[in-house]
């Protein structure tokens, strides 16, 4: 593996994820008495860094492990292996007290605005709870104002709000503890297009105002384009490509990224680009294919026997560019 | 029946009707209570329960006679219901109505307290097992399996063998401590689903302590099944008390409970059916009323049904 | 109204589907005077956000709206090959449902019955409508699975829904819908629950099948990208109303209604660099209380007094005469185009 040599003057990243692994043990056969089944490799050696104040877009389809990455980073699920450093401190080594303190620094915004708020608590109760627990001076009114909601919503229950309004409350709840880092787990996927734009703009404004750092998880490369500085693409628990946003959209070096890009339906009837429609389904993460995990669906013309046997490492192509791709043929990307 | 007890009875009936009326009046202003009364049987259930509770509390007033006193075991035994003896007399010439009123105290008391113990314990065990999962869950649920597999009569018989006669308090405790298993399974299943909901994950991410997550976020959202299970528990405990008393190992005679009233009257069920009829009827009515009230409460307490 | 009214396969006129809200406190006018035509062999897109009435419209066509609380008001017309579907007796309606007009839904997991094999479910319609024997129906089911691109159809025909992936299940749904060779396929958000690469597969499949079988498709979606790539004409809905209709190319080139315009600008695109997205302010109003006048006026950047007072009819927006039919928009800007400069 060729690690990208970071130039010395660059400050340490806020978030540093190293070789993160999360396997789910499967039930043994024969009612727990037989051989164990292979574990589900939800996340299989994922590494990335996010500098302070920047946004990494993490893109993948269902089953790629992108949500698990976000949750294990916040220790909402225990990781199987690897390390997560937040400001240089190992998150997985913290005791429960230090973890409580860390909860204030790292937060999460969820995808489904219908399940992310407690249906039995008013907006006010939802927002006041974290303020109380951490003894913070913030007020519910200030939080609502910051996410663009009128103060009258404080007394409402979640079911009295629209999807976009709920998502704003979810964002306000994350902001209540004044975090530096927020995992945005598909925050706009469940919203209507016009509301989606409102929420994306809100997230961008908050980032600028509060110097926030985001891990923005999405299944859609189009949404990520509007918020991310860097983009990482996941497939079957692994990052297959990672690059600055401008790079990855201009010249995707992994055939999967290329296919994802071309699969985004463009709102332009004249855009008759060379659409790549992948065949087949995503394989089960319990039994990933040998070699390159993408090879059974890969449309790359140079695909060879090597792809079926040898796992391509995530390497920098071309050297020194900061553009990483896990493809044996990254030098000759698909057009 | 003395004039005093007639008066008290009438007052009790009027009072319970008045309570239901007051509740309905309030209901017009509150969406939740309006949903409660949308169940046609909920109001009836409320009324019947209120009436029986008033009778239990005011037993010394509504009962004309001491429930234990046998006025004239020769001439007044198995007297049919009349204006003097509202529900007749039993084989020992005791006034069934007086025994019914005092029996309501014992039976409803055991029912309510036993169910309270059972539901609290069952909810806590279920919530802890469902929330922490892994070995906590495995141990607690195997315990529950054993509890469900042991016949309760057997446990109570053991208790009786150990302490001879059980006092009211001990009887309630034993019944409560052997009635929570089903509730804990129900709550556990609910909690297992709720703990994966994003708002619970969010609470954990905010650093909310586990106890507060369980009691502040998870359990309130499991309120509907818990309430239904509580209502059913009261009925179950009532029936258990009745069967234990019928077997002679429940409430010690001559103290009346609806259970041992049925036991006492069982021998004369053909000649004097009133000695068992009213107690049996009361048990069925309470169980049915509780089910009706539980249905109403389940809807009333669901904030998702509040208007937007 | 239209150039060739006789040729329309499905005519919807003044469709009103209302819902009585609980306690009878209000009426949700979910679909309010919706009219459109579907011609043989074409794909018509109905696009709009949640709450605009597009799904209720599609359910109304086959009278699948739950009654109560919903009801289709008298005066509505849904004409299929000259017969008013709203006036048909239940047995006649059943002979059309699933046979001449078929439907596929958004959620392929809940739309399939988990206790029957996919083969049985696909064959069912053929047994009912075409009176095929079990054996013949099974053969047809295998043939259909092959048609929708499921590998090893002879084996997969005996699978249960849970043994298949989301994309496979949606293919099964399509096979079920198409087994009787319907003249009209209503596809209600067929790819919303699927991953992007699977969405691309399913959309390509629908295009291919339409071409091969020559059916008309009513594609209901919230995604303007899907509309752009896969439809011939578009109906844009907002707040229970049709607000704009045009051929697809015309609509994307000259969006006339401010809602269409706003929606187009709000779509995140992969080909534009990082930038602020255009957002339509506010929320979709509640169906029990649509705004007066033009229903979009509270969110509209051009709205003036007339828009508050008086609702515009569908006005001819010019252009697009020809293959795609007329371009109409429910907006007073059509009559006063100079106001487009006075954007708030």
């Amino acid at each position: 593996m060729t690690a990208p040599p970071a130039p010395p003057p660059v400050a340490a990243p806020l978030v540093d994820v190293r070789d993160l692994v999360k396997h789910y043990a499967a039930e043994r056969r024969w009612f727990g008495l037989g051989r164990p089944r292979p574990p589900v490799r939800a996340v299989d050696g994922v590494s990335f860094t996010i500098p302070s104040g920047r946004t990494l877009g993490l893109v993948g389809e269902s089953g790629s492990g992108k949500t698990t990455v976000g949750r294990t980073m916040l220790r909402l699920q225990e990781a199987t292996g690897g390390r997560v450093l937040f400001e240089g401190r190992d998150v997985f080594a913290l005791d429960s007290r230090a973890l409580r303190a860390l909860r204030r620094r790292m937060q999460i915004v969820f995808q489904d605005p219908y399940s992310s708020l407690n249906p039995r608590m008013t907006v006010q109760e939802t927002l006041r709870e974290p303020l109380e627990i951490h003894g913070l001076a913030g007020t519910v009114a200030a939080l609502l104002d910051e996410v663009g909601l009128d103060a009258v919503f404080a007394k409402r229950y979640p079911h009295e709000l629209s999807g976009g309004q709920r998502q704003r409350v979810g964002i306000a709840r994350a902001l209540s503890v004044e975090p530096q880092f927020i995992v945005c787990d598909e925050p706009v996927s469940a919203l209507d297009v016009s509301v989606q734009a409102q929420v994306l703009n809100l997230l961008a404004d908050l980032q600028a105002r509060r110097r926030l750092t985001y891990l923005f998880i999405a299944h859609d490369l189009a949404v990520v384009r509007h918020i991310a500085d860097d983009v990482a693409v996941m497939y079957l628990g692994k990052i297959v490509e990672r690059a600055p946003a401008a790079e990855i959209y201009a010249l995707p070096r992994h055939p999967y990224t290329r296919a994802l890009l071309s699969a985004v339906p463009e709102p332009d009837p004249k855009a008759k680009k060379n659409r790549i429609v992948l065949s087949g389904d995503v394989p089960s993460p319990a039994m990933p294919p040998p070699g390159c995990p993408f090879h059974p669906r890969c449309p790359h013309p140079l695909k060879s026997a090597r792809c079926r046997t040898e796992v391509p490492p995530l390497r920098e192509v071309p050297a020194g560019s900061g553009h990483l791709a896990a493809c044996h043929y990254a030098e000759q990307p698909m057009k | 029946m003395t004039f005093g007890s007639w008066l008290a009875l009438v007052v009790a009936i009027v009072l319970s009707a008045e309570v239901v009326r007051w509740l309905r009046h309030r209901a017009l202003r509150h969406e939740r209570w309006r949903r409660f009364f949308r169940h046609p049987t909920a109001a009836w259930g409320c009324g019947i329960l209120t009436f029986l509770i008033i009778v239990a509390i005011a037993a010394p007033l509504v009962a004309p006679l001491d429930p234990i006193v046998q006025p004239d075991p020769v001439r007044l035994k198995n007297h049919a219901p009349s204006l003097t003896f509202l529900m007749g007399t039993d084989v020992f010439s005791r006034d069934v109505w007086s025994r019914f009123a005092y029996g309501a105290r014992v039976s409803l008391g055991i029912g309510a307290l036993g169910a309270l113990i059972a539901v609290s314990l069952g909810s806590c065990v279920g919530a802890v097992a469902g929330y922490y999962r892994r070995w906590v869950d495995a141990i607690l649920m195997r315990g529950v399996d054993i509890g469900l597999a042991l016949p309760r009569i057997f446990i109570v018989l053991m208790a009786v063998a150990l302490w001879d006669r059980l006092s009211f308090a001990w009887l309630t405790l034993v019944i409560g401590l052997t009635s929570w298993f089903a509730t804990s399974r129900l709550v556990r299943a609910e909690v297992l689903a709720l703990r994966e909901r994003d708002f619970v994950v969010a609470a954990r991410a905010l650093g909310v302590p586990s106890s507060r997550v369980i009691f502040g976020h998870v359990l309130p959202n499991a309120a509907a099944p818990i309430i239904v299970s509580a209502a059913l528990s009261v009925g179950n405990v009532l029936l258990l008390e009745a069967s234990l008393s019928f077997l002679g190992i429940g409430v010690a005679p001559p103290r009346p409970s609806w259970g041992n009233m049925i036991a006492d009257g069982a021998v004369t069920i053909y000649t004097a059916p009133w000695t068992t009829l009213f107690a049996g009827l009361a048990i069925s009515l309470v169980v049915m009323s509780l089910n009706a009230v539980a249905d109403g409460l389940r809807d009333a307490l669901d904030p998702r049904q509040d208007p937007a | 109204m239209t150039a060739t009214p006789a040729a329309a396969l499905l005519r919807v006129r003044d469709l009103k589907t209302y819902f009585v809200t609980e306690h009878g406190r209000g009426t949700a006018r979910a679909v309010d005077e919706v009219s459109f035509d579907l011609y043989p062999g074409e794909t018509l897109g109905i696009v709009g956000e949640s709450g605009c009435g597009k799904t209720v419209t599609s359910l109304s066509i086959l009278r699948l709206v739950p009654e109560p609380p919903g009801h289709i008001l008298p005066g509505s017309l849904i004409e299929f090959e000259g017969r008013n579907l709203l006036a048909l007796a239940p047995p006649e309606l059943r002979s059309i449902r699933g046979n001449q007009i078929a439907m596929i839904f958004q959620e392929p997991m809940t739309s399939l019955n988990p206790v029957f094999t996919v083969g049985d479910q696909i064959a069912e319609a053929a047994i009912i409508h075409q009176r095929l024997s079990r054996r013949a129906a099974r053969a047809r089911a295998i043939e259909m699975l092959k048609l929708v691109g499921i590998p090893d159809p002879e084996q997969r025909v005996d699978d249960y829904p849970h043994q298949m992936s989301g994309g496979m299940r949606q293919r099964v749904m399509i096979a079920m819908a198409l087994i009787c060779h319907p003249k009209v396929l209503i596809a209600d958000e067929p790819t919303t629950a699927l991953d992007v690469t699977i969405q691309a597969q399913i959309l390509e499949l629908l295009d291919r099948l339409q071409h091969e079988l020559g059916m008309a498709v009513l594609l209901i979606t919230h995604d303007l990208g899907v509309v752009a790539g896969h439809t011939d004409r578009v109906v844009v809905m907002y707040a229970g109303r049709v607000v704009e209709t045009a051929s697809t190319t015309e609509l994307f080139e000259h969006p006339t209604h401010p809602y269409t315009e706003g929606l187009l600008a709000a779509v995140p695109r992969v080909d534009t660099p990082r930038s602020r997205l255009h957002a339509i302010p506010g929320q979709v109003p509640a169906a029990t209380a649509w705004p007066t006048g033009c229903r979009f006026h509270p969110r509209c950047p051009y709205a003036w007094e007339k828009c508050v007072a008086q609702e515009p009819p569908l006005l001819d927006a010019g252009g697009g005469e020809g293959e795609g039919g007329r371009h109409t928009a429910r907006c007073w800007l059509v009559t006063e185009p100079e106001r487009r400069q006075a954007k708030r």
Side-chain angles (χ1 to χ4, degrees):
Chain A
M1 292 260 289
T2 46
V10 171
L14 183 73
V15 180
D16 186 349
V17 175
R18 294 185 189 169
D19 208 24
L20 187 66
V21 176
K22 173 71 184 177
H23 289 180
Y24 291 99
E27 295 259 318
R28 284 165 176 268
R29 287 166 222 264
W30 302 107
F31 305 105
L33 299 174
R35 275 186 308 125
R37 290 172 209 261
V40 174
R41 296 152 180 264
V43 178
D44 210 6
V46 162
S47 305
F48 56 82
T49 60
I50 314 177
S52 185
R54 306 258 284 180
T55 301
L56 174 70
L58 188 62
V59 180
E61 294 180 284
S62 51
S64 65
K66 57 190 191 300
T67 293
T68 311
V69 168
R71 304 225 170 166
T72 46
M73 282 172 69
L74 302 191
R75 270 186 71 177
L76 294 168
Q77 292 176 359
E78 292 302 319
T80 311
R83 293 211 293 168
V84 172
L85 303 178
F86 184 77
E87 291 186 315
R89 280 186 305 161
D90 188 343
V91 172
F92 295 164
L94 298 178
D95 60 20
S96 60
R97 203 160 152 199
L99 184 64
R100 179 85 48 87
L102 182 85
R103 298 286 195 217
R104 274 198 55 196
R105 322 285 293 281
M106 306 168 82
Q107 272 304 311
I108 178 164
V109 172
F110 296 91
Q111 167 178 10
D112 182 1
Y114 291 86
S115 100
S116 67
L117 299 178
N118 188 337
R120 290 186 182 269
M121 285 164 88
T122 60
V123 169
Q124 185 165 275
E125 287 163 353
T126 295
L127 295 181
R128 195 172 282 156
E129 185 175 47
L131 295 175
E132 266 171 26
I133 283 170
H134 294 281
L136 299 172
T139 63
V140 171
L143 285 169
L144 286 180
D145 183 54
E146 190 160 12
V147 296
L149 282 179
D150 194 274
V152 299
F153 288 108
K155 296 260 163 59
R156 303 262 173 94
Y157 281 93
H159 71 267
E160 298 170 286
L161 308 179
S162 71
Q165 289 163 343
R166 286 173 199 222
Q167 202 56 296
R168 285 173 194 264
V169 175
I171 294 169
R173 177 178 58 192
L175 291 178
S176 65
V177 294
E178 295 159 19
Q180 288 159 290
F181 173 61
I182 299 182
V183 173
C184 302
D185 190 358
E186 304 219 35
V188 297
S189 312
L191 303 177
D192 276 320
V193 181
S194 67
V195 180
Q196 172 177 313
Q198 293 173 5
V199 172
L200 275 176
N201 289 343
L202 172 68
L203 285 170
D205 292 344
L206 291 170
Q207 179 168 44
R209 202 182 312 148
R210 292 200 176 218
R211 297 257 320 126
L212 291 168
T213 306
Y214 290 148
L215 175 68
F216 192 97
I217 299 169
H219 64 265
D220 177 350
L221 276 164
V223 169
V224 164
R225 169 115 238 208
H226 291 267
I227 192 135
D229 300 294
D230 299 282
V231 177
V233 178
M234 280 187 79
Y235 187 77
L236 278 182
K238 289 189 162 74
I239 289 183
V240 295
E241 183 158 11
R242 193 174 98 217
E247 288 267 333
I248 209 165
Y249 289 98
L251 185 66
R253 290 194 175 270
H254 197 284
Y256 179 62
T257 314
R258 178 75 191 81
L260 267 187
L261 264 176
S262 90
V264 175
E266 280 288 281
D268 182 359
K270 297 209 168 133
K272 290 282 176 235
K273 53 189 173 182
N274 50 340
R275 195 179 287 278
I276 300 164
V277 176
L278 292 180
S279 58
D281 287 310
V282 181
S284 157
M287 269 180 259
C292 173
F294 186 58
H295 85 256
R297 301 175 77 195
C298 183
H300 201 295
L302 296 175
K303 184 162 85 168
S304 66
R306 195 178 161 205
C307 301
R308 283 191 289 278
T309 51
E310 196 183 321
V311 181
L314 190 63
R315 62 206 171 91
E316 202 169 25
V317 181
S321 65
H323 190 145
L324 287 81
C327 176
H328 292 306
Y329 301 100
E331 284 82 359
Q332 297 101 15
M334 281 177 69
K335 285 292 179 303
Chain B
M1 290 288 279
T2 60
F3 176 73
S5 51
W6 272 116
L7 189 69
L9 181 59
V10 171
V11 169
I13 293 172
V14 171
L15 199 63
S16 46
E18 205 51 37
V19 167
V20 174
R21 219 172 64 90
W22 179 76
L23 283 175
R24 265 181 181 273
H25 183 69
R26 274 190 59 118
L28 291 179
R29 282 179 294 160
H30 292 275
E31 175 58 30
R32 294 189 168 186
W33 288 107
R34 194 155 47 212
R35 278 207 299 275
F36 178 81
F37 281 108
R38 217 167 51 223
H39 285 263
T41 50
W44 279 102
C46 248
I48 290 168
L49 289 177
T50 316
F51 172 71
L52 289 173
I53 289 167
I54 292 172
V55 166
I57 293 168
L61 295 178
V62 294
L65 294 168
D66 188 308
I68 298 165
V69 158
Q70 306 178 2
D72 189 339
V74 182
R75 271 188 296 161
L76 285 180
K77 81 169 190 183
N78 294 338
H79 196 290
S82 66
L83 282 178
T84 330
F85 301 105
L86 191 58
M87 293 182 177
T89 62
D90 68 2
V91 70
F92 301 113
S93 81
R94 296 175 297 199
D95 177 32
V96 175
W97 165 242
S98 301
R99 289 181 68 72
F100 180 89
Y102 280 93
R105 280 188 162 186
V106 174
S107 291
L108 291 180
I110 290 180
L113 289 175
L116 188 71
I117 295 171
V119 170
S120 319
L121 196 62
S123 304
C124 289
V125 171
V128 168
Y131 186 75
Y132 289 104
R133 296 186 301 179
R134 299 170 194 276
W135 59 270
V136 181
D137 183 34
I139 291 174
L140 289 175
M141 283 304 119
R142 290 305 79 74
V144 167
D145 287 346
I146 294 168
L148 280 172
L150 282 177
R152 270 193 297 191
I153 299 284
F154 174 69
I155 298 173
V156 180
L157 277 174
M158 278 207 317
V160 172
L162 281 174
W163 296 296
D164 195 25
R165 260 282 170 211
L166 289 170
S167 70
F168 175 80
W170 280 106
L171 185 67
T172 311
L173 204 63
V174 168
I175 289 178
L177 290 180
T178 53
S179 304
W180 56 272
F181 307 115
T183 308
S184 75
R185 290 221 142 219
L186 190 83
V187 173
R188 171 180 171 271
E190 198 73 12
V191 170
L192 275 179
L194 282 168
R195 82 186 297 285
E196 304 300 332
R197 296 272 294 276
D198 285 346
F199 68 84
V200 176
V201 180
R204 285 167 57 211
L206 286 164
V208 178
S210 298
S211 60
R212 192 162 166 173
V213 175
I214 294 176
F215 292 104
H217 291 273
V218 177
L219 275 183
N221 282 287
I226 291 176
I227 284 169
V228 175
S229 137
L232 297 176
S233 281
V234 175
N236 273 334
V237 169
L238 211 67
L239 292 171
L240 182 64
E241 181 274 325
S243 38
L244 291 178
S245 298
F246 186 83
L247 290 175
I249 52 174
V251 176
R255 201 173 177 191
S257 81
W258 290 345
N260 61 24
M261 284 173 74
I262 296 174
D264 288 345
V267 274
T268 56
I269 193 150
Y270 294 111
T271 51
W274 53 86
T275 50
T276 52
L277 178 73
F278 294 105
L281 213 57
I283 292 173
S284 313
L285 270 179
V286 168
V287 174
M288 288 195 296
S289 303
L290 282 165
N291 287 352
V293 169
D295 279 349
L297 280 178
R298 189 180 40 205
D299 280 4
L301 293 178
D302 184 355
R304 280 160 294 190
Q305 293 198 22
D306 286 350
Chain C
M1 290 282 281
T2 33
T4 47
L9 194 58
L10 184 71
R11 285 195 334 136
V12 175
R13 284 291 172 278
D14 297 325
L15 176 66
K16 287 184 188 172
T17 307
Y18 291 1
F19 288 82
V20 177
T21 54
E22 227 178 322
H23 327 308
R25 267 200 258 131
T27 303
R29 290 179 285 163
V31 174
D32 212 2
E33 289 180 28
V34 163
S35 303
F36 59 85
D37 292 309
L38 180 67
Y39 294 94
E42 76 164 349
T43 301
L44 175 67
I46 297 189
V47 68
E49 296 180 289
S50 50
C52 73
K54 58 188 190 299
T55 293
V56 176
T57 301
S58 71
L59 292 175
S60 300
I61 292 172
L62 285 180
R63 279 167 55 190
L64 292 170
V65 175
E67 293 183 49
H71 58 288
I72 298 172
L73 267 66
S76 308
L77 175 79
I78 294 172
E79 200 178 76
F80 173 69
E81 294 187 319
R83 290 199 288 171
N84 185 0
L85 296 186
L86 297 176
L88 288 187
E92 290 176 279
L93 187 66
R94 275 198 297 274
S95 73
I96 290 180
R97 273 188 197 157
N99 188 23
Q100 311 224 47
I101 303 180
M103 196 155 178
I104 53 177
F105 299 93
Q106 173 175 348
E107 191 43 77
M109 190 67 235
T110 51
S111 310
L112 288 170
N113 188 333
V115 301
F116 291 108
T117 64
V118 296
D120 286 343
Q121 296 184 60
I122 296 169
E124 193 179 13
I127 293 171
I128 293 170
H129 292 299
Q130 304 187 332
R131 308 242 159 71
L132 291 186
S133 68
R134 296 206 132 264
R135 182 186 289 264
R138 184 185 157 90
R140 274 294 289 284
I142 293 172
E143 195 183 300
M144 290 310 294
L145 285 175
K146 196 179 286 168
L147 183 72
V148 298
I150 286 183
D152 309 322
E154 288 84 359
Q155 275 84 54
R156 301 312 293 258
V157 72
D158 294 322
D159 276 5
Y160 287 90
H162 72 266
Q163 293 169 293
M164 298 188 141
S165 67
M168 290 281 217
R169 285 197 290 261
Q170 195 57 287
R171 285 173 193 265
V172 168
M173 286 297 300
I174 293 170
M176 269 169 77
L178 299 188
I179 190 160
C180 295
H181 293 302
K183 290 178 181 151
V184 175
L185 177 69
I186 302 174
D188 186 1
E189 302 266 11
T191 58
T192 306
L194 304 174
D195 278 318
V196 267
T197 59
I198 308 298
Q199 162 169 300
Q201 292 175 3
I202 297 293
L203 289 172
E204 194 180 59
L205 172 71
L206 279 176
D207 282 354
R208 197 193 86 212
L209 291 176
Q210 175 176 31
H211 195 72
E212 286 176 13
L213 307 176
M215 62 194 170
V217 176
L218 191 61
L219 182 65
I220 288 144
T221 178
H222 69 281
D223 190 333
L224 283 166
V226 170
V227 167
H230 302 274
T231 61
D232 304 308
R233 286 191 308 126
V234 189
V235 170
V236 183
M237 283 186 71
Y238 181 79
R241 295 269 202 224
V242 172
V243 295
E244 187 160 5
T245 60
S247 72
T248 306
T249 41
E250 167 73 11
L251 186 88
F252 284 85
E253 265 169 35
H254 306 290
T256 301
H257 198 282
Y259 176 65
T260 316
E261 200 181 55
L263 212 52
L264 264 172
V267 180
R269 304 177 63 141
V270 285
D271 55 1
T272 49
R274 184 176 173 177
S275 58
R276 267 185 95 73
L277 282 166
H278 173 86
I280 302 176
Q283 314 280 340
V284 177
T288 45
W290 298 130
T292 57
C294 171
R295 291 179 182 178
F296 187 61
H297 85 257
R299 306 176 74 188
C300 181
Y302 309 106
W304 68 98
E305 308 78 49
K306 190 175 184 184
C307 307
V308 184
Q310 201 183 346
E311 185 174 21
L314 270 174
L315 298 165
D316 201 316
E321 290 287 349
E323 48 160 339
R326 298 190 318 150
H327 184 176
T328 57
R330 192 183 288 278
C331 183
W332 292 122
L333 278 175
V334 175
T335 56
E336 297 179 50
E338 66 282 359
R339 288 205 181 247
R340 219 172 252 284
Q341 265 64 48
K343 194 170 180 171
R344 266 195 274 152

